[in-house]
Amino acid sequence: TLAPLASVALSENDATNGEYDSSRRHNSLALKHLWVRGCSLSNMTNEEWANVFEALAGSSGPLERLTLSRNNISYLHGNIGKVTSLTYLFLEDNSACGSNGFVIPEEIGSLHNLRFASLCGNNIMKLPRQVAHLNPNCDVYLHRNPNLRYPPPQYQMSIKMMRHFFHQERMKIFRGSVLLIPHLTRARWRALERLYQPGGSGYFGCKERFEETVRRTS
């Protein structure tokens, strides 16, 4: 059992061939720090990752520091958002090779206590908008992610800059919608006018229905 421990460090020699060992399940944890480095965890299933983060979220430590580096993983499971006690997250050098790169979940925005996040060297291609929900004073490091295009590079320096970019993006969409509404309204009225003016298909349809009603009632 790991329950009495405040810190645990796992390396390649401690891994069970990259597989999640269900025989090590425990009823409760009291972890504050967890380092998992160089363990090649690519074979872990989505369900197993979900169980791992469920257990970490229930740690009575509570868990404050988490390292998941050089483990050959291609995504961070959404249940990371349940570990709201996290203040330091080291997620480095996993070098995902898939077409989507390393996937950061939207739930990362739930880590309101996070003060430091190193996401270097993972081949991240985009960050979810929810990253802007992190504490504005959280230090985020994104070095060695050459394919990261969203948000644009000039906004990747801090959470505050990301918030600014996402806010600008939302406002552009909003302004575009506001400007589009009058055009849609005018287009609708023009279409109705063409449809029901004398000679239009709608005009003849209404005329035929009216004449049919008159015949039935007369």
Side-chain angles (χ1 to χ4, degrees):
T1 178
L2 301 178
L5 302 179
S7 300
V8 172
L10 299 178
S11 62
E12 184 176 6
N13 294 331
D14 301 307
T16 57
N17 298 320
E19 298 178 356
Y20 180 70
D21 187 358
S22 60
S23 65
R24 285 181 157 179
R25 289 183 181 176
H26 38 273
N27 295 326
S28 62
L29 291 174
L31 290 175
K32 285 190 173 183
H33 308 145
L34 177 62
W35 291 268
V36 184
R37 188 178 179 88
C39 289
S40 186
L41 303 177
S42 59
N43 291 331
M44 283 186 61
T45 66
N46 194 59
E47 181 181 1
E48 288 169 342
W49 276 118
N51 292 335
V52 166
F53 286 113
E54 285 279 359
L56 294 178
S59 174
S60 61
L63 188 70
E64 297 174 353
R65 295 173 182 254
L66 175 63
T67 296
L68 292 173
S69 299
R70 298 185 179 180
N71 292 309
N72 195 30
I73 55 180
S74 59
Y75 69 98
L76 185 63
H77 194 277
N79 276 5
I80 183 71
K82 296 182 178 182
V83 194
T84 55
S85 57
L86 273 184
T87 54
Y88 289 85
L89 175 63
F90 296 86
L91 187 69
E92 302 173 336
D93 300 312
N94 288 290
S95 302
C97 299
S99 58
N100 295 322
F102 193 97
V103 179
I104 301 294
E106 297 177 352
E107 289 83 356
I108 196 170
S110 300
L111 303 179
H112 302 303
N113 290 312
L114 203 63
R115 295 297 179 269
F116 180 96
S118 179
L119 307 176
C120 304
N122 292 306
N123 191 30
I124 298 171
M125 295 185 179
K126 64 177 294 186
L127 293 175
R129 292 187 180 93
Q130 288 77 6
V131 74
H133 297 168
L134 294 173
N135 189 296
N137 296 317
C138 177
D139 294 324
V140 179
Y141 294 89
L142 297 164
H143 304 97
R144 295 181 282 111
N145 288 296
N147 297 315
L148 181 57
R149 296 290 182 267
Y150 187 84
Q154 63 268 33
Y155 295 97
Q156 296 173 12
M157 302 302 294
S158 69
I159 296 298
K160 290 180 181 178
M161 296 181 71
M162 292 183 204
R163 282 188 175 186
H164 179 65
F165 167 75
F166 292 128
H167 174 72
Q168 285 184 321
E169 189 178 55
R170 286 194 300 270
M171 291 305 297
K172 286 180 181 178
I173 296 173
F174 175 74
R175 285 194 293 268
S177 300
V178 171
L179 293 174
L180 184 61
I181 289 173
H183 293 288
L184 292 175
T185 302
R186 286 194 293 270
R188 180 172 179 269
W189 280 111
R190 285 196 297 269
L192 291 173
E193 183 180 4
R194 287 194 297 269
L195 182 64
Y196 290 103
Q197 67 184 355
S201 61
Y203 170 81
F204 286 115
C206 289
K207 182 174 179 294
E208 290 174 358
R209 287 194 295 272
F210 174 75
E211 292 174 348
E212 178 66 23
T213 302
V214 170
R215 284 195 297 271
R216 289 179 180 177
T217 56
S218 62

